[in-house]
Amino acid sequence: MRKAFICPTKYVQGENEILNLGYFVRTFGKSALLIGHADDIQRVEEKLQQTKENFHIEFIESDFNGECSRQEVERIKEIAKENQCDCTIGLGGGKAIDTAKCVAEGKNVIIVPTIAATDAPTSHSAVLYTKEGAFDDYAYFNQSPSVVLVDTTVIANAPTRFLISGMGDALSTYFEARATSKSYSNVNAGLPCGVREKLCEGTKGTNAALCFAKLCYQTLLEDGKKAIQASKANMVTQALENIIEANILLSGIGFESGGLAAAHAIHDGLTILEGTHQYFHGEKVAFGTIAQLVLENAPTEELHEVLDFCISIGLPVCLEDIGVNRISEKEVLEVSKKACISEESIHSMPFPITVAQVAASIIIADKIGREYKRKNFSC
């Protein structure tokens, strides 16, 4: 059995950590290409200036346009080449981070997330979009980021909805890794065929990754509500530190080295419904997690534990919570068909999957979520 553990070379997290960014730039040289949305750069401008002076480095601005497109990647690559930049920094949210990975092609890249909304910062993959913002393709690199530098002071001052969404994404990690482990599936089973052959020729998850995933879930249950209070007050507490680590590091390694399963595939299917478009990735994944638990007939106690957690922190538990007030039989079948395409991660579940099963799990998860919320959390 061939296993792989995929992770960034360095993960550093703490208050005002951007002040140490220059130290990590110096491990590559003296100049860094800085990719980030203007608003995100402005939020940390003072810290960037201070680390620049303290470590005698230079930031080369990329004037990132906000979209991780092939055209933008090529444009910024030329800037890096012209200025002979020693490393690349992706600062901000997902699109700036993914653009940095694509520009650097996985080499000498420093990721500085300013929100904890997903587990993308630690991964060795990126999502490409068209210039207009539509999905284009996935990109995969030979190595994970060289450094992931997380400034918890910056994240504490970001809108709390991002943190909650990150917990929704992280919530699925243990259940998907557990399913993948039970089925002995390859952790990269959800990738397109051509990519699967290039990435380790198919590898199983490690026990270490499953432990990361389980700790991720335990941390959410223990510290999720407390972290939200800290975020709303824009203050860093140990609970917030723990949830940031769970959202980014534990979930990141848990999914990439432990595997995805039904929750993310159902999320992908739900994206065809227009009502879901205004909701964040993690918010839709939270409902996908509930649907996965229904699909695998998880113990009632476990399902209720997940429902209690979601409702207590404001994560969706039914379709209405992600903008779908009504869904037809035809629509739920279309969602299920998309979730069940051959390259989707749902086939990592430890039993054969059919479109009818998935459609039933979505409908029943919606019914259970609505009724549970009404009975246990109504005023």
Side-chain angles (χ1 to χ4, degrees), residues 179-189 203-205 347-350:
T180 303
S181 177
K182 285 182 177 179
S183 66
Y184 294 95
S185 296
N186 291 338
V187 296
N188 48 22
T203 56
K204 311 301 179 186
H347 301 291
S348 290
M349 296 298 290

Side-chain angles (χ1 to χ4, degrees), residues 146 222 322:
S146 304
E222 177 65 28
I322 52 172

Side-chain angles (χ1 to χ4, degrees), residues 161-201:
R161 185 183 172 189
F162 287 121
L163 187 77
I164 295 172
S165 176
M167 284 193 264
D169 195 23
L171 176 64
S172 71
T173 307
Y174 170 60
F175 301 108
E176 293 189 284
R178 182 179 71 181
T180 303
S181 177
K182 285 182 177 179
S183 66
Y184 294 95
S185 296
N186 291 338
V187 296
N188 48 22
L191 302 177
C193 293
V195 176
R196 283 202 297 267
E197 278 113 26
K198 293 178 182 177
L199 292 180
C200 304
E201 299 174 355

